[in-house]
Amino acid sequence: AERKEWVDALRTIEKMNETGSCEPPDGDIVGVPTTKVRSCLYLLCGKVYEAVNNIAMAKTCYKQALEYDLYCSEALDILINQHMLSVQEEMQLLESLSNSTQCSDTEKQFIIQAYKGKLEKYETPAPKFRNDLENLTNDTDSLLDLAKQYCLRTDYDASYKITSRILQEDPYHEDSIPYHIISLMELRKTNELFHLSHLFVNNYPSSSTFYFSKAITLKSSFGLAWLGFAHSFAAEGEHDRAMAAYSRASNCMPGVAANFFAKGLTTICIPIAPDNPYAEHEIGSAAFNNGDYITAKKHFLLALKVFEMDDNKSLPEAWEPLLNNLGHTYRKLEEFESALKYHNLALKLSPRNFSTFTAIGFTYSLMDNHTVALEYYDKAISLKKDDTFTLQMINNTMEILASVPVLTEG
C-alpha cells in the first residue's frame, strides 16, 4: 500500500481471510490491544478499496475502524472529507459510537460531541457550541468544521471570518482554502480574490483541467476533482462529458448533497440531505420545469423556511433565484400579489437584475395594470437593451395603451 501497488495490496487483504475480512489473530500483539490492531487494519483496507474505486467497501471498512477504535479520527475524517455518508448514515454511525465501552462516559461524551460537530454539515451551529469553538483559537480543525457549516448554510460572512483567521495562523492549511475561496466569491471581495489567484498562478501555473486531470491520476476516487472536471466541461458546453463526470463525482462522494451537482442529478438530493435548502430548491426547479407548480411552490417555500428559522439573518444574495422562482411559481398559479411580493424581495437582493424588472412588469400586465407594467419594462430594457422578450412586451403594452380611449372633459 505504501508503494501504491493497490491491486497487490487488495490480493493480500483477500488472502488474509477467505471472506475478505481484515481480522487479525486473537490476542494482543506486542502489547497493542487487538481492537486497535483491527482498527488499523480496517483503516488500511479502506484506503486500498478506495484506491481501486470500491467506495462501498471502503466506507464499510472505515466505519469498522471507528467501531473498533473510537479514537480513530482519521477514518472519520476520510468519511467526512470524501462525503461518503448520507445524513441518515451519519446519525446511525454516531448512535453506534455512543454505545462504545472503550473509555469513560465523560471522555466518550467529549469525543462524540466533537465528531457530531464534524458531521452536522447542514445544521445551524448551536450558540454555545459556536462560542466554544470560536474560543479555541489554536484548534484550526475545529474552527474549519464551524466554517464549513456556515458556508453550507450560505452564511458566507461568518465563514470568511473564520477561514481568514485559520489562514492567518496557518497559510498552508489546504482544507480551508476551498471554503475561503467560496466565501470570497459570494462576498465579492475581488481584491482578495485577485491577490489569491496570483499566488496560485505563480505557484501552480496551468489550466484548471490539467490539474483536475493530475489530481484524478494521483487519486482516482478524489470526488472534488471529478466535480471540478464536470464544472469545466459544463462551462465549455460539453454536456455529455459533464454529466459523466458529475455521475462519477456522485459515486465517489455518495454523502454530498446535490447542490454541488448538475440539475440532472437532483433525484439524489432528498435521500442524502432531506433538510438541505439547496436540495429543496433544485427539486422545486425540476417540478416547475415539469409544470407541477404546486409541488414547486412547496419545495421553494421549504428552502426559504430554512432562512426564516434563523433569527436576525438576512437572505444571502446568492438566493435571489429562489425568490424569483417563487414569484414565477405564484404567477403561474395566478396568485399575482404573492408573485409581486417575492419578485420585489429578489429585487432588493439584486437591484440591477433586468429579468426581475421584466417579471414584475409581466405580472402587472397579467393584472391589466399596463401603465405600471410599462414602467418596469422600461427599467429592464435600460439594463439590457437587446432582450427580445422585454422588447416584445413593450411593443404589446404600448399597443394596448394606444387602443384605450382617452377621456376628455366636456
Side-chain angles (χ1 to χ4, degrees):
E2 287 294 328
R3 296 192 318 213
K4 302 187 184 304
E5 296 176 1
W6 304 114
V7 176
D8 291 338
L10 184 61
R11 288 173 183 164
T12 303
I13 291 170
E14 292 173 346
K15 287 179 181 179
M16 290 176 64
N17 192 294
E18 291 181 356
T19 62
S21 68
C22 305
E23 297 290 341
D26 292 334
D28 293 353
I29 301 176
V30 197
V32 180
T34 304
T35 53
K36 290 191 178 293
V37 176
R38 287 174 175 168
S39 177
C40 291
L41 284 172
Y42 273 111
L43 178 63
L44 178 60
C45 290
K47 292 180 178 179
V48 173
Y49 280 121
E50 185 183 355
V52 297
N53 293 321
N54 191 338
I55 304 300
M57 280 299 296
K59 179 168 65 175
T60 301
C61 289
Y62 290 138
K63 290 164 71 174
Q64 284 286 79
L66 273 168
E67 293 284 353
Y68 279 115
D69 185 5
L70 188 62
Y71 299 91
C72 188
S73 59
E74 184 180 355
L76 182 72
D77 287 338
I78 294 173
L79 287 169
I80 295 171
N81 294 334
Q82 298 294 354
H83 306 282
M84 291 184 177
L85 301 176
S86 67
V87 172
Q88 185 178 2
E89 288 174 325
E90 289 176 355
M91 295 303 103
Q92 290 173 350
L93 179 61
L94 279 178
E95 186 177 352
S96 66
L97 295 179
S98 299
N99 299 324
S100 173
T101 58
Q102 301 172 23
C103 56
S104 66
D105 290 342
T106 303
E107 192 172 355
K108 180 172 65 176
Q109 184 179 1
F110 177 82
I111 294 172
I112 295 299
Q113 185 63 33
Y115 285 177
K116 188 176 181 181
K118 289 176 176 288
L119 289 168
E120 291 182 339
K121 301 186 289 289
Y122 303 108
E123 299 294 327
T124 303
K128 184 180 184 306
F129 178 67
R130 180 171 62 240
N131 293 335
D132 289 345
L133 279 184
E134 289 179 349
N135 290 330
L136 296 173
T137 54
N138 297 320
D139 189 354
T140 55
D141 290 337
S142 297
L143 288 173
L144 178 60
D145 293 334
L146 188 59
K148 288 179 182 179
Q149 291 184 33
Y150 279 130
C151 189
L152 291 169
R153 297 279 298 181
T154 67
D155 191 348
Y156 301 113
D157 186 59
S159 179
Y160 165 74
K161 289 178 181 176
I162 296 174
T163 55
S164 297
R165 180 169 155 190
I166 293 171
L167 291 172
Q168 185 175 6
E169 295 177 6
D170 181 4
Y172 300 100
H173 196 278
E174 294 181 0
D175 291 341
S176 64
I177 290 177
Y179 298 94
H180 188 63
I181 292 174
I182 291 171
S183 301
L184 290 175
M185 284 288 295
E186 294 295 338
L187 296 173
R188 303 183 188 281
K189 293 184 177 291
T190 53
N191 289 338
E192 288 189 50
L193 272 171
F194 182 77
H195 176 68
L196 192 61
S197 66
H198 268 282
L199 291 178
F200 284 141
V201 169
N202 290 335
N203 290 287
Y204 312 103
S206 190
S207 66
S208 61
T209 305
F210 171 80
Y211 280 105
F212 289 139
S213 178
K214 190 172 182 64
I216 291 168
T217 301
L218 293 172
K219 186 175 183 180
S220 60
S221 62
F222 188 22
L224 292 177
W226 282 108
L227 188 58
F229 241 148
H231 288 332
S232 298
F233 288 139
E236 294 170 2
E238 298 185 36
H239 301 299
D240 291 340
R241 298 180 71 183
M243 289 304 296
Y246 280 126
S247 179
R248 185 63 181 272
S250 177
N251 291 334
C252 292
M253 302 187 295
V256 75
N259 49 290
F260 292 112
F261 298 115
K263 291 184 178 180
L265 300 178
T266 55
T267 52
I268 68 172
C269 290
I270 297 303
I272 291 173
D275 298 320
N276 184 1
Y278 295 98
E280 299 291 356
H281 184 219
E282 294 297 344
I283 294 296
S285 299
F288 183 91
N289 291 332
N290 290 330
D292 188 354
Y293 304 120
I294 298 295
T295 301
K297 182 176 80 169
K298 170 189 169 184
H299 287 286
F300 287 147
L301 289 174
L302 284 172
L304 190 62
K305 186 178 179 181
V306 172
F307 298 97
E308 292 175 345
M309 291 189 296
D310 294 341
D311 297 333
N312 302 319
K313 179 182 176 183
S314 59
L315 197 67
E317 184 179 345
W319 285 98
E320 171 264 328
L322 170 62
L323 295 174
N324 266 329
N325 285 341
L326 262 171
H328 295 315
T329 303
Y330 276 112
R331 189 188 71 242
K332 290 287 187 179
L333 295 171
E334 298 185 0
E335 299 179 35
F336 300 126
E337 293 297 335
S338 295
L340 290 174
K341 169 189 170 183
Y342 286 107
H343 283 314
N344 279 300
L345 286 174
L347 201 58
K348 290 181 180 179
L349 292 183
S350 183
R352 295 188 60 79
N353 188 343
F354 83 94
S355 62
T356 306
F357 284 109
T358 299
I360 294 173
F362 188 51
T363 304
Y364 275 117
S365 292
L366 295 175
M367 297 170 69
D368 292 328
N369 193 339
H370 301 292
T371 303
V372 176
L374 187 59
E375 293 176 5
Y376 280 95
Y377 292 142
D378 286 339
K379 291 177 182 177
I381 208 65
S382 69
L383 295 172
K384 188 173 182 182
K385 301 185 183 300
D386 59 347
D387 184 61
T388 306
F389 178 76
T390 306
L391 288 170
Q392 183 62 47
M393 291 307 301
I394 288 175
N395 293 332
N396 293 346
T397 305
M398 291 182 68
E399 289 177 5
I400 293 171
L401 291 174
S403 64
V404 176
V406 180
L407 298 177
T408 57
E409 294 184 1

